[in-house]
Amino acid sequence: MRITQIIETPVRLRGEVANALVDFSRHTVSLVAVVSDQIRDGKPVTGVAFNSIGRFAQSGILADRMIPRVLRANPEVLLDDAGRIDPARVLGCALTDEKPGGHGDRAGAAAALELACWDLNAKLADEPAYRTIAGYFGRATVSTAVPVYAAGGYYYPGDDTAAGLDRLRTEIRGYLDMGYDAVKMKIGGASTSEDLARIEAVIDIVGSGARVAVDANGRFDEADAVQWAKALNPYGLRWYEEPGDPLDFALNAAVIAAYDGAVATGENLFSVRDATNLVRYAGMRPGIDIFQMDAGLSYGLTEYARMIEVLEAHGFDRRFAFPHGGHLINLHIVVALGLGGCESYPGVFAPFGGYAPGCVLAEGTIAPTDAPGFGLEEKPDLAAVIADLVG
C-alpha cells in the first residue's frame, strides 16, 4: 500500500449568509484527495475529505508543509501492522517539526488530510466509514440512525425586521416539512428586542422552546452573555450556544451560573489540551451541557477521539457530544462513536453542508447510507467538485 499523490483545492461556499460575527459569502473549504496505488475499476482508490465548515481553506499550510512531509516519508512508516494506511501515522508525519500549541488553521489543514485517510481505508474495505471507524475503536454499531437538528436562522443582507421574520418563518417551516423536529438559529446579529422576536417566532412554529437552540457564535462579552442568559431562561431552550469567546472559560462558567438550561460550546477548540481546559475550568455540567468539538477542525478523528476520552475521564457522557459541522463526515463519526447526535445544514453552505439524498430522515433522526467511505460522492453538488479534483 502506498500513497502516490495528495491533492488539495480550495472550494468556495455558495450563498450569502451571516451570523453575529462572520459573513460566509467569501468563505472557502479545503477539499483533499489522498490517492493510493490500489486500482479498482481501472482507477486508483482515492480517499476524499475536507476541513469542515466555518474556517477558511488552508491551501498554503497543506501545500507548503504537510503534503510534502507525507509524500517524502518512507512509505512503510505510514502503514499499520496490517499494511493499511494508518491515519494517526499520517497525521504524525504531517505535523513533523510543528511546535505544540497554536492550534489554529493548521488543525483544520491536518484534519482534512487525516480524514481523507479514513475515507480511503473504508473504500479499500468496501464499507461505510462508520463501520471502519467503529471497528478501529472496538465499538459495535448499535444503530445507524442518530438524532439530528437543522441549523439555520442566519442573517441575510438587505432584510429589514419584517422581511427577516417572514424569511425565518418560511425557513423553519421548511425544516419541519423535511422531517426535522429540532432547529438552531442565530442570535447576536440584531438588537436584543429583534432577536427575542425572532426566537419567539421560531418557538411558535416549532411548538416548544425545548426544540430550539440559539447560537451567539462568541459574540458577547461576559456582561452581555450573562444578561442574555437571564433573558433566555424563560424560554426553556434546547441550549444556548457559544455565548462568548470560546477560550474565555471564566465567561462560560459565569453564563452557566446564571442560566438554568444547557450551554453548548467547543466547536472552536481544536486540541485535546483545549478540551481538557474546557472541562476543568468552564463550569460544564455532566448530564446537562453540550460539547461541539469537530474532527474536521481539530486535527482529524485521531485527536477528536482523544477529546471524547477526556470528556469521559472527567465524568461526562459521550452522548452529550454533538459535533459542529452539519455534513456527512461528522454523521459517520457520530454513528461510529455512539455520540448524542449531529448538526445538519440542509439549506446553507453548499456544496458541503447537508447530507446525500440517500440518507433517510425520519422522526428527527438520520442515517448514513452504506456507500463506501464517507459517501461524499453520493452528494450530487459535491460529487461534481470531487470529480474535477481527482479526474
Side-chain angles (χ1 to χ4, degrees):
M1 172 77 68
R2 298 289 185 269
I3 294 174
T4 61
Q5 189 179 13
I6 302 174
I7 315 165
E8 184 275 344
T9 190
V11 180
R12 188 163 176 170
L13 295 175
R14 296 199 295 268
E16 295 185 2
V17 298
N19 61 33
L21 289 177
V22 177
D23 176 352
F24 291 99
S25 62
R26 289 173 292 277
H27 262 232
T28 53
V29 171
S30 277
L31 182 66
V32 171
V34 175
V35 184
S36 78
D37 64 352
Q38 305 298 296
I39 305 299
R40 300 271 177 88
D41 298 323
K43 294 183 178 181
V45 181
T46 300
V48 182
F50 53 90
N51 63 298
S52 197
I53 295 166
R55 297 272 166 169
F56 287 95
Q58 288 93 43
S59 304
I61 296 174
L62 282 158
D64 296 340
R65 286 153 50 187
M66 295 185 176
I67 292 174
R69 290 167 184 160
V70 174
L71 292 180
R72 66 174 173 250
N74 181 338
E76 300 297 330
V77 172
L78 306 178
L79 305 180
D80 63 17
D81 294 340
R84 297 166 298 202
I85 296 296
D86 186 333
R89 295 185 184 186
V90 172
L91 175 65
C93 183
L95 295 176
T96 301
D97 296 327
E98 298 279 342
K99 285 187 175 182
H103 307 292
D105 279 354
R106 76 174 183 194
L113 178 54
E114 193 258 14
L115 289 167
C117 294
W118 288 100
D119 186 64
L120 173 61
N121 282 344
K123 286 173 176 172
L124 288 168
D126 196 28
E127 64 183 11
Y130 71 80
R131 197 169 294 152
T132 300
I133 294 167
Y136 181 90
F137 289 101
R139 298 186 60 84
T141 302
V142 177
S143 173
T144 56
V146 295
V148 66
Y149 63 93
Y154 286 83
Y155 301 98
Y156 290 82
D159 276 354
D160 59 21
T161 300
L165 280 174
D166 287 344
R167 181 199 291 269
L168 181 60
R169 291 188 184 100
T170 300
E171 177 186 352
I172 299 302
R173 288 191 189 99
Y175 296 148
L176 298 183
D177 290 343
M178 292 177 192
Y180 293 96
D181 66 3
V183 301
K184 186 172 78 176
M185 60 176 292
K186 301 300 181 181
I187 62 171
S191 69
T192 301
S193 60
E194 288 175 311
D195 271 340
L196 290 175
R198 294 172 71 249
I199 292 169
E200 290 168 5
V202 172
I203 292 175
D204 183 60
I205 292 168
V206 176
S208 169
R211 295 164 63 189
V212 179
V214 298
D215 183 1
N217 291 106
R219 171 69 174 80
F220 304 131
D221 61 19
E222 184 173 318
D224 286 339
V226 170
Q227 183 177 353
W228 260 99
K230 294 175 180 177
L232 293 174
N233 262 326
Y235 294 106
L237 298 174
R238 191 178 191 200
W239 66 65
Y240 174 19
E241 182 172 328
E242 211 165 41
D245 188 290
L247 289 174
D248 192 339
F249 300 134
L251 180 154
N252 197 80
V255 169
I256 284 175
Y259 189 56
D260 296 333
V263 167
T265 190
E267 72 179 69
N268 289 301
L269 303 181
F270 304 150
S271 73
V272 167
R273 293 297 181 195
D274 287 337
T276 302
N277 285 334
L278 177 67
V279 297
R280 284 176 176 170
Y281 305 121
M284 301 291 280
R285 299 158 292 182
I288 299 175
D289 297 314
I290 304 297
F291 296 89
Q292 298 175 306
M293 291 80 76
D294 180 350
L297 298 176
S298 50
Y299 297 101
L301 181 56
T302 301
E303 185 87 352
Y304 182 79
R306 292 175 60 213
M307 291 182 185
I308 298 300
E309 290 175 2
V310 165
L311 299 187
E312 293 184 323
H314 285 80
F316 294 88
D317 190 322
R318 66 175 58 211
R319 290 173 295 179
F320 286 78
F322 283 72
H324 156 271
H327 51 69
L328 281 164
I329 295 175
N330 277 344
L331 176 59
H332 280 264
I333 290 172
V334 168
V335 170
L337 298 185
L339 308 181
C342 54
E343 189 169 31
S344 174
Y345 291 137
V348 291
F349 301 135
F352 298 97
Y355 304 122
C359 296
V360 178
L361 175 63
E363 299 181 347
T365 67
I366 199 163
T369 71
D370 280 338
F374 291 121
L376 302 182
E377 294 84 357
E378 288 200 327
K379 198 169 184 297
D381 51 355
L382 185 53
V385 180
I386 294 171
D388 287 341
L389 179 65
V390 303

